[in-house]
């Protein structure tokens, strides 16, 4: 269901005209290749690699019928299991084969020496079953003087072609189980048994097929046994019959007196049998072979024998199936829709200069402008080395960073170079080492820090610079086959990357383990990776004597800029149980990337490792850098090239600038830094909330009083008073809503509304703070006394611009505008910059204006002091200058909003949070004192208002007194004479009284 939903989002391209890489050997003379009429096909691994070179992948679900309906046969599809992701390492093996042509009684091979008693055993052989034979047959038998059927492995072919086998011990018969198919191919078959519990197991082609316990438990296989291949023994060393004879081919028979593990069985399959407990190692000279089996035949085969089956999709009936992985098949390369569109768009991008220059110098098509186009022809070792040298020279001479198109073309070329392992039979070490040096040098040049932005633009296509890491690791795996006893180590280093491939003798490393140190690192300090001695002894216990150890390292800082871990499971930071809490901000790469791989002839071995890497030290007390031991999982999130994971890794030791880790597997490791912001505990948060509420209340009262005084006292209208009133109104309103925001967060709609209003009002307040600064500049610095049309611009900037900012922010962030748990902007998205950006601009501008005003004030004060006192004393001169600087600062700080600058220091220490709360709480009272209580205009307006009130009171009294005289009969002429003079006398008295 999930796959069908993904179909509309995926583009799958059919590649039928791709070359068929050489090296795919047939397992039998009857096996043929039938290429499609439309073109050649590839094996499953080659198809997977071809898609990977084009930054796509085989379809993981059911392919869309629109892409497969025209195909005449099945196509390869991908799978998510790790077992098939990398092709097993194979080597050519020449073996002497016993050919049992027919089921006759006179064909057998007897071991010349007798065998001891066996309390445990493992028997393995390569078998090619005769497809025409279906009757039950004996692959090998062991008879003793005491028991004729002491040990047998019998098999038959059931209808449908499945070969069923059963183990017989001391005459006790285990059930028949399917082990492989009778398909004419070579298969590796093993049987194990141990006396104590009677546990038996059947393996084929490196997989466990069946097993149980209770088979002849408690009784060993008797001594003096005779081993015969291809026949059942009815008597000791004889009694053969045609009905029990084996028909087919058999080689590489080995017998051990112990039970082999699955890993050891797989090594035997890879033609490197574990030496411990080996009773018989395949040697036809140690066998008595009947003349009818002679002569023996030499066969060239691959070890391990190609028997892996890979998933297919048949578009005809629309069913899933499987085929031998090395069988050529057509295939599809799939891409997410956006990735495919981006790959197509790259062809038209302008960044083509590197591609053009390299192709021109090489007189060939080395770099392709689009990875969707097919490479012109197969690379050879010589051409690849030559092209790498050209590419290295061009990249070293190029000024500036690489663009995304050039990076994509280079990465595509590097992927083609790593595919040489299937195409180039030459095994001389020197040319391969030269190729490796050029490869690592080019890879390093793509990892320069200046190319970080280009890698970020490619993150959705190739997964970032970890694609280069994977390519270097593939190259190192390729070079491991070139290590010889003459040259047991290949070491290639560059300032930003390097690799080392080394043959490790386990006996020598069993005491101290194995340590690898990167350039500039220390085996006892940061910069090393260590395989513990216990892991080495564990490998020795598995029968290994020598392994290949591969290390790669990358010290470029580009990974810190391009690779994060947004979905990484967060680990608890130190001190999380204390009162202070932490909030995770981000997770970033903090160290070099260091990888370790261990290989033997059968494939990769997983070993535990410890590593110690240096990283950034703790700097800010308000941010905690928590080191995390992590590895890059290439299998996860295949569209993004993998992701960071922490499973199986733990911290062993922390140091201020380095961390030691333990991981129970080997891969690519790094130290990630989880960045936490230290938040106040409940008590501190409650105290800050209380102080903020009280401070806002005090500031609101002071600002409200100031605004009422400006409005009701009749302060004369001017540019300055108008700007003051707009600033005070917006700031008071914003603080009023801020006080209600704590209750508004319980309702989502109300919280959003309060956040929008606060965002708008605070932006308006800062806009009028900027207007205050601009007016001050025009009056003091520019000295322009003409009002002009400035007020219309002030109103447009003070109210219009904030409205526009809020509307645009809401449109861009409709769902993440408000923070969770608070009625304010979300600080974890870009929405917060819709407030922080304008505020920083206003504070920067007003700071510059204040500095210029202070300079002008100091200069004029010095000039005035010189005029009043031509030769002032030094102390008086200093006093004048200090007061000239302090006075404008004290007077202008509140209206210019410069107390908000201290908010930038909150991340340095929690103490600054209290300082910011107190300073901004006093902004309102300070404005009241400076611009109302001690302001001359406000005082004069209040005086005039008081005088008007006094006059009104006097007139009321005079009217009242006149009415009383009139009623008492006193003549009114006196009143008419004296009335005009009394108010003047009383007003003069009021003014001079100072009341």
């Amino acid at each position: 269901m999930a796959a069908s939903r993904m179909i509309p989002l995926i583009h799958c391209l059919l590649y039928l005209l791709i070359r068929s890489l050489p090296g795919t050997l047939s397992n039998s003379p009857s096996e043929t290749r039938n290429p499609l009429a439309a073109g050649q096909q590839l094996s499953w691994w080659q198809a997977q690699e071809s898609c990977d070179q084009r930054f796509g992948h085989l379809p993981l679900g059911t392919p869309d019928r629109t892409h497969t309906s025209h195909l005449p046969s099945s196509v390869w599809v991908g799978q998510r299991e790790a077992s098939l992701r990398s092709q097993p390492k194979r080597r050519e093996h020449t073996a002497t084969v016993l050919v049992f042509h027919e089921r006759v009684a006179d064909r057998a091979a007897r071991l010349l020496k007798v065998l001891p008693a066996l309390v445990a055993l493992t028997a393995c052989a390569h078998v090619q079953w005769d497809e025409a034979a279906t009757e039950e047959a004996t692959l090998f038998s062991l008879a003793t003087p005491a028991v004729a059927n002491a040990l047998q492995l019998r098999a038959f072919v059931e209808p449908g072609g499945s070969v069923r086998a059963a183990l017989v011990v001391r005459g006790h018969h285990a059930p028949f189980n399917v082990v492989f198919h009778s398909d004419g191919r070579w298969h590796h078959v093993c049987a194990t048994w141990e006396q104590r519990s009677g546990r038996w197991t059947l393996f084929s082609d490196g997989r466990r097929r069946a097993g149980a316990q209770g088979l002849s438990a408690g009784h060993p296989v008797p001594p003096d046994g005779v081993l015969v291949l291809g026949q059942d023994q009815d008597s000791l060393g004889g009694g053969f019959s045609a009905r029990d004879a084996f028909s087919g081919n058999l080689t590489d028979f080995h017998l051990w007196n112990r039970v082999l593990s699955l890993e050891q069985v797989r090594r035997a399959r890879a033609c490197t049998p574990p030496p411990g407990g080996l009773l018989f190692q395949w040697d036809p000279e140690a066998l008595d072979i009947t003349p009818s089996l002679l002569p023996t035949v030499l066969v060239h085969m691959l070890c391990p024998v190609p028997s892996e089956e890979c998933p297919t999709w048949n578009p005809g009936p629309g069913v899933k199936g499987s085929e031998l992985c090395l069988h050529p098949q057509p295939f599809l390369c799939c891409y997410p829709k956006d990735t495919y569109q981006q790959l197509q768009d790259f062809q038209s991008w302008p960044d083509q200069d590197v591609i053009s220059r390299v192709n021109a110098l090489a007189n060939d098509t080395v770099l392709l402008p689009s990875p969707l186009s097919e490479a012109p022809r197969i690379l050879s070792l010589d051409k690849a080395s030559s092209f790498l040298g050209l590419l290295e020279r061009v990249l070293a001479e190029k000024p500036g960073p690489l663009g995304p198109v050039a990076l994509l073309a280079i990465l595509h070329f590097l992927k083609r170079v790593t595919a040489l392992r299937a195409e180039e039979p030459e095994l001389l070490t020197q040319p391969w080492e030269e190729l490796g040096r050029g490869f690592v040098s080019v890879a390093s040049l793509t990892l320069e820090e200046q190319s970080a932005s280009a890698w970020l633009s490619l993150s959705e296509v190739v997964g970032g610079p970890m694609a280069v890491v994977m390519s270097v690791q593939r190259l190192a795996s390729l070079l491991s086959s070139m290590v010889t006893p003459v040259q047991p180590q290949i070491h290639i280093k560059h300032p930003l990357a390097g690799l080392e491939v080394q043959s490790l003798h386990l006996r020598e490393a069993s005491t101290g383990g194995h340590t690898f140190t990167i350039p500039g690192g220390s085996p006892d300090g940061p910069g090393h990776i260590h395989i513990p001695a216990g892991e080495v002894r564990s490998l020795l216990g598995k029968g290994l004597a020598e392994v290949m150890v591969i290390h790669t390292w990358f010290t470029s800082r580009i990974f810190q800029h391009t690779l994060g871990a947004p979905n990484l499971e967060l680990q608890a930071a130190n001190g999380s149980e204390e009162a202070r809490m932490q909030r995770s901000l981000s997770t970033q790469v903090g160290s070099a990337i260091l990888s370790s791989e261990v290989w033997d002839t059968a494939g990769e071995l997983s070993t535990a490792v410890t590593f110690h890497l240096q990283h950034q030290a703790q700097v800010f007390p308000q941010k905690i850098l928590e080191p995390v031991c992590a590895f890059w999982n290439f299998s996860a999130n295949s569209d993004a090239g993998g992701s960071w994971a922490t499973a199986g890794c733990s911290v062993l030791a922390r140091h201020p600038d380095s961390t030691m880790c333990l991981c129970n597997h080997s891969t690519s490791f790094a130290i990630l830094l989880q960045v936490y912001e230290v938040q106040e505990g409940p008590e501190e948060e409650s105290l800050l909330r209380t102080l903020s509420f009280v401070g806002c209340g005090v500031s609101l009262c002071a600002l409200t009083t100031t605004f009422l005084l400006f409005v009701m006292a009749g302060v004369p209208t001017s540019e300055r008073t108008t700007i003051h009133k707009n600033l005070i109104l917006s700031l008071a309103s914003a603080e009023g809503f801020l006080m209600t925001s704590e209750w508004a967060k319980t309702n989502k709609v109300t919280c959003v509304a309060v956040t929008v209003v606060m965002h708008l009002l605070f932006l308006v307040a800062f806009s009028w703070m900027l207007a205050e600064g601009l007016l001050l500049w025009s009056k003091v610095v520019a000295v322009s006394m003409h009002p002009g049309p400035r007020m219309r611009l002030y109103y447009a900037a003070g109210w219009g611009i904030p409205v526009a900012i809020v509307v645009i922010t809401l449109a861009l962030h409709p769902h993440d505008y408000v923070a969770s748990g608070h009625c304010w902007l979300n600080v974890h998205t870009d929405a917060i910059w819709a407030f922080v950006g304008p505020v920083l601009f206003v504070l920067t501008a007003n700071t510059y204006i204040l500095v210029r005003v202070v300079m002008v004030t100091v200069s004029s004060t010095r000039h005035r002091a010189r005029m009043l006192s031509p030769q002032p004393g030094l102390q008086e001169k200093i006093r004048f200058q200090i007061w000239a600087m302090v006075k404008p600062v004290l007077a202008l700080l509140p209206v210019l909003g410069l107390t908000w600058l201290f908010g930038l220091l909150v991340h340095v220490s929690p103490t600054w949070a209290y300082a910011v709360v107190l300073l901004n709480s006093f902004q309102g009272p300070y404005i009241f004192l400076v611009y109302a209580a001690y302001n001359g205009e406000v005082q004069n307006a209040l005086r005039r208002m008081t005088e008007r009130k006094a006059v009104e009171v006097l007139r009321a009294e005079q009217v009242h007194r006149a009415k009383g005289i009139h009623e008492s009969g006193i003549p009114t002429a006196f009143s008419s004479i004296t009335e005009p003079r009394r108010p003047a006398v009383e007003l003069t008295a009021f003014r001079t009284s100072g009341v």
Side-chain angles (χ1 to χ4, degrees):
M1 184 67 71
S4 63
R5 287 197 300 266
M6 287 296 293
I7 288 173
L9 302 177
I10 298 291
H11 281 267
C12 295
L13 305 178
L14 179 63
Y15 287 101
L16 294 173
L17 299 174
I18 299 177
R19 65 185 184 278
S20 179
L21 301 181
T24 304
L25 301 181
S26 173
N27 287 313
S28 70
S30 61
E31 184 177 345
T32 60
R33 302 182 195 173
N34 298 311
L36 295 177
Q40 296 177 323
Q41 306 99 51
L42 300 179
S43 72
W44 189 86
W45 285 294
Q46 292 167 347
Q48 180 179 246
E49 187 172 72
S50 181
C51 288
D52 180 67
Q53 288 181 16
R54 293 167 177 79
F55 310 107
H57 57 81
L58 296 175
L60 295 176
T62 302
D64 190 352
R65 284 183 176 271
T66 59
H67 297 115
T68 58
S69 58
H70 62 287
L71 296 178
S73 64
S74 59
V75 296
W76 291 125
V77 294
Q79 56 90 44
R80 291 180 171 85
E81 297 179 6
S83 57
L84 293 177
R85 283 211 172 91
S86 59
Q87 184 174 358
K89 288 188 175 182
R90 307 186 194 277
R91 60 188 181 89
E92 289 191 9
H93 173 62
T94 302
T96 302
V97 176
L98 299 179
V99 181
F100 298 86
H101 278 303
E102 300 172 355
R103 291 169 58 86
V104 294
D106 62 345
R107 290 180 179 172
R110 180 175 62 86
L111 184 62
L112 294 176
K113 69 175 184 179
V114 296
L115 298 174
L118 299 174
V119 297
L121 62 92
T122 299
C124 294
H126 275 109
V127 176
Q128 193 175 33
W129 195 275
D130 184 357
E131 295 180 87
T134 58
E135 293 83 2
E136 188 173 326
T138 303
L139 294 175
F140 65 84
S141 63
L142 177 66
T144 66
V147 182
N149 295 322
L151 180 67
Q152 290 182 344
L153 183 61
R154 304 180 64 81
F156 71 93
V157 179
E158 65 179 2
S162 295
V163 177
R164 287 183 173 268
L167 187 65
V168 180
V169 180
R170 295 180 59 92
H172 296 88
H173 208 299
F176 282 96
N177 292 274
V178 175
V179 288
F180 59 88
H181 292 282
S182 177
D183 51 13
R185 299 189 178 99
W186 284 104
H187 294 276
H188 187 256
V189 181
C190 289
T192 67
W193 174 84
E194 54 97 10
Q195 166 197 335
R196 186 174 56 183
S197 62
R199 182 181 297 278
W200 60 273
T201 308
L202 291 180
F203 300 90
S204 71
D205 300 324
R207 294 185 178 182
R208 184 183 183 276
R209 304 296 182 178
Q213 56 185 2
L215 180 64
S216 189
H219 301 283
V221 174
D224 302 322
V226 175
L227 178 69
V228 173
L229 302 179
Q231 273 286 359
D232 179 22
Q233 304 176 61
D234 290 335
S235 61
L236 188 65
F240 305 145
S241 64
R243 70 176 185 275
D244 295 321
F246 167 66
S247 179
N249 301 324
L250 186 146
T251 186
D252 286 335
F253 181 87
H254 296 80
L255 180 66
W256 292 264
N257 62 0
R258 65 188 180 99
V259 173
L260 297 186
S261 65
L262 177 59
E263 284 188 5
Q264 292 169 331
V265 168
R266 287 175 175 169
R267 283 201 294 278
R269 176 176 174 246
C271 304
T272 54
L278 191 58
L279 293 176
F280 172 68
Q281 185 170 6
W282 180 246
D283 180 11
E285 299 295 328
L287 297 174
D288 179 14
I289 302 174
T290 59
S292 57
L293 277 178
L294 296 174
T296 57
V297 177
L298 290 178
V299 172
H300 300 283
M301 59 194 306
L302 292 177
C303 283
V305 172
S307 61
E308 299 86 2
E309 292 189 350
C310 295
T312 60
W313 169 259
N314 193 327
V319 296
K320 295 180 180 179
S322 62
E323 289 285 347
L324 188 71
C325 295
L326 290 180
H327 187 273
Q329 293 270 84
F331 61 97
L332 303 169
C333 289
C334 293
Y335 304 82
K337 188 174 182 179
D338 293 340
T339 300
Y340 181 72
Q341 185 62 50
Q342 193 171 358
L343 287 172
Q344 286 188 320
D345 293 343
F346 279 144
Q347 301 179 56
S348 59
W349 281 35
D351 180 33
Q352 306 279 345
D353 55 332
V354 171
I355 298 175
S356 302
R357 187 177 178 195
V358 171
N359 291 342
L361 290 174
N363 196 23
D364 201 344
T365 304
V366 180
L367 301 182
L368 300 174
S370 172
L372 296 178
S373 56
E374 177 57 34
R377 55 178 171 270
I378 299 173
L379 278 175
S380 65
L381 178 60
D382 292 338
K383 279 188 172 294
S385 295
S386 174
F387 291 160
L388 284 170
L390 273 175
L391 187 54
E392 179 185 0
R393 189 167 75 249
V394 171
L395 294 181
E397 295 173 354
K398 174 180 170 55
L402 291 169
V405 178
L407 282 177
L408 200 67
I410 294 168
L411 185 58
H412 179 246
F413 176 71
L414 295 180
K415 287 176 176 287
R416 289 179 60 203
V417 173
T418 59
L420 283 173
R421 62 181 181 272
E423 302 166 4
E424 192 64 46
E426 180 62 57
L427 297 179
L428 294 176
T429 302
Q430 185 176 359
W432 282 100
E433 189 171 353
E434 292 175 357
L435 176 98
R437 296 190 186 282
F439 190 102
V440 173
S441 180
V442 170
S444 299
L445 290 169
T446 66
L447 295 177
E448 291 182 347
E449 193 172 357
Q450 60 182 352
S451 300
S453 59
W455 279 114
L456 284 173
S457 65
L458 292 176
S459 59
E460 297 297 327
V461 178
V462 300
M466 287 303 292
V468 177
V469 174
M470 175 178 278
S471 295
V472 174
Q473 289 177 349
R474 287 180 177 175
L475 174 77
S477 178
L478 172 62
L479 295 179
S480 66
S481 59
M482 312 304 160
V483 173
T484 63
V486 178
Q487 186 177 2
Q489 182 185 59
I490 296 176
H491 185 85
I492 301 173
K493 71 174 183 177
H494 188 276
L496 298 181
L499 64 85
E500 181 182 270
V501 181
Q502 178 182 357
S503 177
L504 179 66
H505 296 279
L506 296 178
R507 187 68 61 185
E508 299 175 2
S510 61
T511 303
H514 175 71
T515 301
F516 170 75
T517 304
I518 66 175
S522 168
D524 300 318
H528 78 268
I529 190 167
H530 177 71
I531 302 175
E535 293 293 313
V536 176
R537 289 192 290 270
S538 176
L539 295 177
L540 278 171
K542 295 177 181 179
L544 294 174
E546 185 178 359
V547 295
M548 196 69 61
V549 182
I550 300 173
H551 295 292
T552 59
W553 71 92
F554 305 86
T555 57
S556 172
R557 290 177 56 85
I558 199 171
F559 300 101
Q560 301 177 23
H561 301 301
T562 58
L563 293 180
N567 299 321
L568 190 70
E569 183 178 353
L570 298 179
Q571 300 183 0
N574 287 338
S576 59
E577 299 178 357
E578 300 176 358
R580 285 188 179 176
M581 301 176 293
Q582 293 90 24
R583 177 168 54 84
S584 176
L585 297 179
S586 64
T587 303
Q588 60 193 30
V589 179
S591 70
I593 294 178
L594 179 58
S595 70
S596 175
E597 297 177 12
V598 178
W599 291 77
D600 75 338
T601 54
E604 186 175 4
L605 302 170
S606 182
T607 60
V609 296
T610 63
F611 59 93
H612 191 178
L613 293 174
Q614 195 164 16
H615 55 73
Q616 179 183 347
Q618 182 76 39
V619 179
F620 298 108
Q622 276 300 95
K623 288 186 179 179
I624 293 178
L625 300 180
E626 184 75 9
V628 178
C629 302
F631 66 95
W632 186 262
N633 186 356
F634 288 99
S635 302
N637 194 10
S638 58
D639 288 337
S643 62
W644 291 110
T646 59
C649 295
S650 59
V651 175
L652 288 181
R654 287 188 179 93
H655 305 282
D657 61 348
S658 65
T659 298
M660 178 176 284
C661 301
L662 168 67
C663 288
N664 60 10
H665 55 276
S666 52
T667 181
S668 297
F669 303 102
I671 303 296
L672 304 185
L673 296 178
Q674 288 180 351
V675 184
Y676 292 91
E677 179 185 35
V678 176
Q679 294 182 314
E680 295 78 13
E683 295 180 359
E684 293 185 25
E685 190 174 353
S686 177
L687 178 58
L688 275 175
R689 188 162 48 244
T690 302
L691 289 175
S692 298
F693 186 83
V694 173
C696 280
V698 172
S699 182
L700 177 61
C701 292
L703 291 171
T704 303
T705 303
T706 305
F707 183 77
L708 292 175
L709 284 175
F710 270 90
V711 174
M712 299 180 65
V715 178
T717 302
S718 65
E719 286 184 334
R720 184 172 62 256
T721 56
T722 302
I723 293 175
H724 286 346
K725 284 189 287 187
N726 279 276
L727 169 60
I728 293 168
L729 174 63
S730 58
L731 192 56
S733 302
E735 291 184 349
F737 278 97
L738 180 61
M739 293 178 66
T740 63
S741 63
E742 192 64 26
W743 294 283
K745 68 181 182 182
T746 56
N747 185 284
K748 185 177 181 180
V749 176
T750 306
C751 186
V752 172
V754 169
T755 302
V756 171
V757 174
M758 284 198 301
H759 185 195
L760 174 63
L761 290 175
F762 274 115
L763 285 181
V764 169
F766 276 96
S767 297
W768 286 106
M769 290 178 194
L770 179 61
E772 293 273 8
L774 294 176
L775 181 65
L776 188 64
W777 176 275
S778 67
K779 300 298 184 183
V780 178
V781 180
V783 193
S784 174
M785 305 306 296
H786 301 286
R790 282 197 299 259
M791 281 311 303
R792 288 195 296 271
L793 296 177
Y794 290 156
Y795 272 110
W799 292 95
I801 293 178
V803 170
I805 291 175
V806 172
V807 170
I808 293 173
T809 307
L810 282 171
L812 295 177
H813 301 275
H815 303 296
D816 53 4
Y817 178 76
V818 181
S820 59
H822 299 283
C823 294
W824 184 236
L825 299 177
N826 193 340
V827 298
H828 300 296
T829 65
D830 293 337
I832 189 61
W833 287 103
F835 175 74
V836 174
V839 168
L840 290 177
F841 174 76
V842 170
L843 295 181
T844 303
N846 281 355
T847 301
Y848 176 74
I849 290 172
L850 181 60
V851 171
R852 293 287 290 126
V853 168
V854 170
M855 292 171 62
V856 172
T857 305
V858 170
S859 177
S860 61
T861 301
R862 186 185 302 116
H863 179 68
R864 187 170 61 253
R866 193 179 298 116
M867 292 178 63
L868 296 175
S869 179
Q871 293 182 344
L874 179 60
Q875 293 183 352
E876 185 179 359
K877 185 177 180 180
I878 294 174
R879 181 172 58 83
F880 280 156
Q881 291 185 358
I882 292 177
W883 177 243
M885 287 188 294
V886 172
K887 183 178 178 181
V889 171
L890 293 177
L892 298 175
L893 270 179
V895 292
L896 296 182
L898 298 184
T899 55
W900 287 75
L901 284 172
F902 293 96
L904 301 175
L905 302 175
V906 169
H907 296 285
V908 177
S909 172
T911 306
W912 286 106
Y914 295 96
V916 170
V917 169
L918 293 175
L919 286 172
N920 290 329
S921 297
F922 283 113
Q923 187 177 15
Y926 202 86
I927 289 176
F928 169 75
L929 292 174
V930 175
Y931 293 94
Y934 293 100
N935 182 273
E937 286 184 325
V938 176
Q939 288 177 349
N940 290 335
L942 286 174
R943 188 176 295 113
R944 287 192 297 270
M945 185 181 69
T946 306
E947 289 174 352
R948 285 196 300 270
K949 290 294 183 182
V951 169
E952 291 176 1
V953 171
L954 288 174
R955 286 180 178 175
E957 289 180 356
Q958 289 174 1
V959 171
H960 179 71
R961 190 179 299 114
K963 287 183 179 180
I965 293 173
H966 177 73
E967 291 175 357
S968 61
I970 300 175
T972 59
F974 178 79
S975 297
S976 63
I977 297 173
T978 57
E979 273 183 7
R981 295 184 58 85
R982 286 188 62 88
V985 173
E986 292 296 331
L987 183 58
T988 305
F990 171 77
R991 286 185 173 179
T992 56
S993 66
V995 180

